[in-house]
Amino acid sequence: MKGKMKAIVYHGQNDLRLEELDIPEIGPKDVLLKTKYASICGSDLHAVRRGPKWAKAEKQIFGHEFAAEIAEVGSEITRYKVGDRVFGVNMAFCGECWYCRHQDYAHCTGVGDHYTGQGIPGACAQYFKFTDPESEYAFAPYLNSLMPIPDEMTDEQCAMMEPFGVGLGAVNKAGVKEGDTVVILGTGIIGISSLQWCKARGARVIVVGRGRHRLDIAKNAAPTTWSAPWTATATSRWPPSPRRPAGTGARRPQPWTPSSTALATPAASTTR
């Protein structure tokens, strides 16, 4: 597909620019995705405010939590077609470093080379390329990690699937089961999604947090016990101190989209 697109490009610390770029060209094993929604992750904010975690982040297009529509498919693609609504896993591990060989993938030293929105351009653009989704490699973003969006799920809801998956991963790793008592520290998107997964498994949940807005969301999500911001920790209080460092406790931005409507799930409400 030939033409131009708009993209938010990272040029350095606290330097994001809206630019007009060429639409990416795809190869025979690639697909071109048209962004419908792209959520802003906390890691994106860290990169903007504090500098990139990976060298390739400079002059990069962020966006690894997304819902998209397939705009073009390569000549060798057989499982996807133009018009499909999709979302995908955003990370690829090298499979070769010491950590990967010991199945400690979270610490892979080469993950930055294959990380949508960090090592490769992401979804904070009108179009972006998803490389080789039908590859036989057993690492994301390959091996069918470009998945169809169910008809009953909206694009906006689907853009939240990645952080909800993080919450589910934490609950699975902790082995939460019915009747357990779980303490969740923090009421951001991961904390609230973890809360919902714990409650779905029948656990009693205690939530500890600082911001009244997010604690109210946690309370409405029906935890058994909740902690008010002035009792959460020795240093927390409401309202926040006038000397609070800039950027601390900032609300998570809305998904990057021309328009937005509120999500029904409490965890998604923490993005507001």
Side-chain angles (χ1 to χ4, degrees):
M1 178 183 293
K2 299 291 185 179
K4 297 287 185 178
M5 68 174 188
K6 294 187 183 300
I8 300 174
V9 183
Y10 175 81
H11 283 268
Q13 192 170 355
N14 296 316
D15 186 1
L16 288 174
R17 306 176 195 176
L18 181 63
E19 300 181 358
E20 187 173 77
L21 305 173
D22 291 331
I23 295 175
E25 295 185 5
I26 64 170
K29 296 183 179 181
D30 304 330
V31 297
L32 181 68
L33 300 183
K34 180 179 180 180
T35 301
K36 305 301 289 291
Y37 280 85
S39 296
I40 307 299
C41 179
S43 64
D44 298 328
L45 299 180
H46 295 326
V48 171
R49 294 168 179 167
R50 304 173 188 174
K53 184 176 181 180
W54 294 292
K56 289 188 177 182
E58 189 172 351
K59 296 185 179 179
Q60 185 57 269
I61 300 172
F62 292 159
H64 59 267
E65 303 170 4
F66 65 86
E69 178 181 302
I70 294 180
E72 185 180 8
V73 298
S75 59
E76 297 182 23
I77 294 294
T78 60
R79 295 199 295 268
Y80 305 93
K81 65 182 186 300
V82 172
D84 285 350
R85 298 168 61 235
V86 294
F87 70 103
V89 178
N90 57 275
M91 199 175 285
F93 311 108
C94 73
E96 299 176 356
C97 69
W98 186 93
Y99 296 103
C100 282
R101 293 198 304 271
H102 291 79
Q103 299 184 345
D104 185 7
Y105 301 116
H107 294 95
C108 170
T109 58
V111 68
D113 293 335
H114 303 284
Y115 186 92
T116 301
Q118 292 282 358
I120 52 180
C124 286
Q126 290 178 296
Y127 295 91
F128 66 106
K129 181 171 66 174
F130 202 98
T131 302
D132 204 5
E134 297 181 355
S135 169
E136 295 180 358
Y137 296 131
F139 301 100
Y142 313 111
L143 193 63
N144 293 324
S145 64
L146 192 60
M147 295 164 278
I149 299 175
D151 292 338
E152 61 270 20
M153 181 176 287
T154 68
D155 292 332
E156 186 177 8
Q157 289 170 331
C158 194
M160 306 301 296
M161 288 293 288
E162 196 269 358
F164 267 82
V166 174
L168 177 59
V171 170
N172 285 342
K173 191 170 184 178
V176 176
K177 60 185 182 299
E178 185 176 1
D180 285 348
T181 297
V182 180
V183 177
I184 296 177
L185 304 180
T187 51
I189 181 64
I190 305 303
I192 299 298
S193 64
S194 299
L195 160 65
Q196 291 183 277
W197 287 117
C198 288
K199 294 301 293 184
R201 295 190 177 185
R204 175 178 179 265
V205 183
I206 300 171
V207 175
V208 180
R210 300 179 66 176
R212 180 182 292 277
H213 169 66
R214 291 183 175 183
L215 279 165
D216 286 343
I217 293 171
K219 186 177 181 180
N220 292 334
T224 304
T225 306
W226 72 294
S227 176
W230 53 86
T231 60
T233 68
T235 58
S236 298
R237 56 186 173 181
W238 186 270
S241 167
R243 296 187 299 274
R244 193 174 186 177
T248 301
R251 289 185 301 164
R252 181 184 171 96
Q254 296 183 8
W256 182 76
T257 175
S259 62
S260 177
T261 56
L263 293 182
T265 56
S269 298
T270 66
T271 67
R272 300 295 183 249

